Amino acid sequence: MSKRLLACGVSAFAVFATPVAAQQIGPPSTLPDQSVQQVGEAPASATEAESNSALQASEGDIVVTANRNESLASKTPIALTAITGTALLSAGITNPTTLGEQVPNLSIDRGNGLQITIRGITSTDGTEKGDPSAAFMTDGIYIARPQTQEVSFYDIARVEVLRGPQGTLFGRNTTAGLVNVITNHPVDRFEASVDASYGNYDSRLLTGMINVPLSDSIAVRAAFNYDRRDSFLESGPRVRTDLSPFRDNVSGRLSASWSSGPAKLLIIGDYSHVGGQTVNSVLTSNFYTGFNTVGVDPVYNPVSGKTAQRTVVAPYTTKLGRDNDVYGVLADFSYDFGGLTLNYLGSYRKFERREDLSLTPGTGATVFPSRDDAAYKQNSQELRLSTDLGPLSIQAGGYYFHETGFQNYYIFGLLNATPGAPGYVFGFPQRYVKSESLAGFGQATLKLTDRFRVTGGVRYSHDEKARIGATVICGAVACTGARDTSTVNNAARTFSKVTYRGGVDYDLNSRSLLYAVVSTGYKAGGFNDGCEAGTGAGCTLSASALYYNPETITSYEGGIKTHLAGNVLRVNLSGFHYDFAGIQLSQLSTICGGPCQVTTNAGQAKVDGVELETVVNPGPNTRFDASASWLNARYTNFFPTPAVSFAGRKLDRSPEWTVTAGITQTVPLTSGANIQASARTRLSDSYYLSALGTLNQFRQPSFTKTDLSLTYNAAGERWYLQGFVRNLENSLVVSGASSGAYSGVTLQDPRTYGVRTGFRF
């Protein structure tokens, strides 16, 4: 029934929408330079327009790479939102966590790294053995570790968010979709810029860029970023250490491009030092009561006062911080043989993690310090061929991904408060972790007529995951005492899957594109702590307890993209239905002798939804935008225990309704300068967060967030000055909640405000 309703809804819209070639729609930009670029509009800056595209976008359009080759967003039959770098900066989106406020059905939250949720599909395992359900990419390179993903946006061309499974062309861990950050690439002229901002919570942001052409065929570009802010949390009377700065990051990027006839080469190297304090949660009792009552949902009952709600009660006495380094290099090469194009994309990345953390009981009575030292190396290689044979376009290729690393995580004083006594150290020394993926893929589009196209694609993926390590209870980290104990964490398993995509798209007329797609996605299975009985000494787990299976999804989606009345009105509408199976859900458990993460397959779910995005330009100086999404993401067959069914309950972070509305008004001045005023508000319905250990769900009530800005743009767009406020209501929104012995709550950003300025050279 849901699929028939979906089809009827899209068809009904097509009757009155005289459209084609849809645009991507999003928040209004208020940045002065680069022509006030809007989401989905043609790139306004020369860098955005030229460095990343050979296509020429018409007014109100943008070039994207959602199909792995460049195409106009209006001609791309995928549910996607593309936000230009100009729009990101003007909207105050300086890191991924606030991106969800601009994109329908997207949530990006802080936990053990970033947790990305798209249309209710997510992953809760951010450990060394876990994988995301939504991929995070930079310039098309898959970034495996979620702890490396919250780095600042700087010198960005655009961010593309693809909603729905992308299991054919992108493959790895894209059952929910993906977020692809595309940086600005070198261009063939000199340009430079500096942007800076200062705000409450002692927030400081400084970004600079310089681009220099060295010859007709070679250009280089360098960019840097400094990003610092204090913690949003308040120190309670028992806190004896500084919680700030929460973020203290320095990043740099150097890129070079070369072109000669049919050959093009891009090389990018990047480095980030990620610092700051690690305390990021408050007690669950700051917001909920009754959260440890098994089978009964907690009551949202926050303590009185916004400051009290953000106050850390537990007795932190030692400074807890991170000292992480992230390195990467990529090479992107293409060669046009004339009718056949070869593309190579390769990357090597390294992540070194050094963090002092903590584990806090739900009572807040004490704090157990912990330490995490880890290092990961990832190598990815992709070779792809594409060709146009008259009405037939084909691309095919192979992909290889290999990641290895180690992780040593220790908690101190948890089982015994006496240093040196057995149980003083409880830890997980995992000396070898491996994840490897090999895939082959192909996709073809056939033009049956000038207006009607059919697309089909397939991908075969083979994944291997392994780990060698232990769970230890010792008197010291060396773990050499006579009474120290160690339980083996050895596991290895392979998984294989064929995913496919089939679709049709049709130009209703010169302004409207209608499309329908069936696609599948797959995320490999994995393992929990321990080892399988019969494989070694002390190994007692059955295979079903140690391993969990892949999760799979089948998506049915249809939509329309249109613009009307000379581009005064632009509309994107999509509807979808998911069949979701083998859902991988993780929870904190004590089956290993202390706290550890356990992942199981959670049966089945269905997701239905409709997304509407609109932009109205009634005049040259006025712009309205609005969006609305309806989402029904629910379990259909899930038993956390044999006696308890979650059927009918909502998937996490899936509000039923979300509505946004914004306006930007420009006032030209006689001097050639202008003033821009912008207002944007977002209303979110309530949503739920599951606590499987206590068989209940936390409810975050509905809320609103409003952003305001006022910008002066100098004549010639050489500099600007802006004042801004985000989350005017100071809504404290729960982004994560847990129950049990080690419960806590994490929050989205409270009200922030400040000033921003920038210069172009």
Side-chain angles (χ1 to χ4, degrees), residues 55-300:
L55 290 175
Q56 294 298 313
S58 61
E59 182 181 356
D61 215 335
I62 186 172
V63 176
V64 297
T65 52
N67 275 327
R68 303 305 309 274
N69 289 319
E70 291 181 343
S71 62
L72 299 177
S74 63
K75 296 292 187 180
T76 306
I78 295 175
L80 69 94
T81 299
I83 308 179
T84 66
T86 304
L88 289 170
L89 185 60
S90 65
I93 303 174
T94 58
N95 67 82
T97 59
T98 51
L99 191 63
E101 298 175 11
Q102 312 292 330
V103 179
N105 286 323
L106 172 69
S107 172
I108 303 181
D109 300 292
R110 297 184 188 94
N112 183 19
L114 292 188
Q115 181 181 354
I116 304 174
T117 306
I118 301 178
R119 294 174 171 175
I121 309 299
T122 191
S123 171
T124 54
D125 189 353
T127 68
E128 80 284 352
K129 58 185 177 59
D131 285 319
S133 295
F136 187 92
M137 301 177 133
T138 300
D139 288 308
I141 298 298
Y142 171 71
I143 308 298
R145 293 298 101 208
Q147 295 81 15
T148 68
Q149 295 169 1
E150 194 185 351
V151 294
S152 303
F153 289 152
Y154 66 101
D155 198 29
I156 297 297
R158 65 188 181 278
V159 175
E160 297 178 10
V161 180
L162 279 58
R163 302 187 291 277
Q166 308 297 320
T168 302
L169 293 180
F170 291 94
R172 184 169 175 78
N173 301 327
T174 57
T175 50
L178 64 88
V179 177
N180 192 10
V181 180
I182 294 96
T183 63
N184 278 320
H185 301 164
V187 292
D188 60 356
R189 69 183 171 282
F190 174 83
E191 61 181 24
S193 66
V194 176
D195 294 276
S197 68
Y198 182 80
N200 60 331
Y201 298 102
D202 199 19
S203 173
R204 312 169 203 172
L205 187 66
L206 178 64
T207 298
M209 175 278 296
I210 184 170
N211 185 99
V212 180
L214 302 182
S215 68
D216 291 341
S217 60
I218 300 175
V220 295
R221 188 181 189 94
F224 73 89
N225 178 264
Y226 172 64
D227 185 5
R228 182 207 181 278
R229 72 158 172 84
D230 284 348
S231 174
F232 293 140
L233 305 181
E234 300 288 337
S235 296
R238 295 193 298 162
V239 176
R240 296 290 185 266
T241 185
D242 196 348
L243 302 180
S244 297
F246 177 76
R247 181 187 295 132
D248 193 5
N249 301 344
V250 177
S251 302
R253 184 188 308 120
L254 181 64
S255 55
S257 65
W258 168 83
S259 62
S260 178
K264 295 180 181 179
L265 175 65
L266 171 69
I267 297 176
I268 302 175
D270 66 270
Y271 167 77
S272 294
H273 176 77
V274 181
Q277 305 309 301
T278 58
V279 178
N280 190 38
S281 64
V282 297
L283 297 182
T284 306
S285 56
N286 281 22
F287 285 86
Y288 295 93
T289 59
F291 50 89
N292 280 333
T293 303
V294 177
V296 179
D297 286 350
V299 177
Y300 182 80

Side-chain angles (χ1 to χ4, degrees), residues 637-677:
N637 180 21
F638 175 34
F639 288 86
T641 69
V644 176
S645 173
F646 263 36
R649 284 182 176 258
K650 296 290 188 179
L651 301 187
D652 286 6
R653 298 177 178 86
S654 58
E656 184 174 2
W657 287 98
T658 305
V659 178
T660 65
I663 181 174
T664 296
Q665 182 66 48
T666 302
V667 180
L669 304 178
T670 56
S671 63
N674 67 73
I675 295 175
Q676 289 183 332

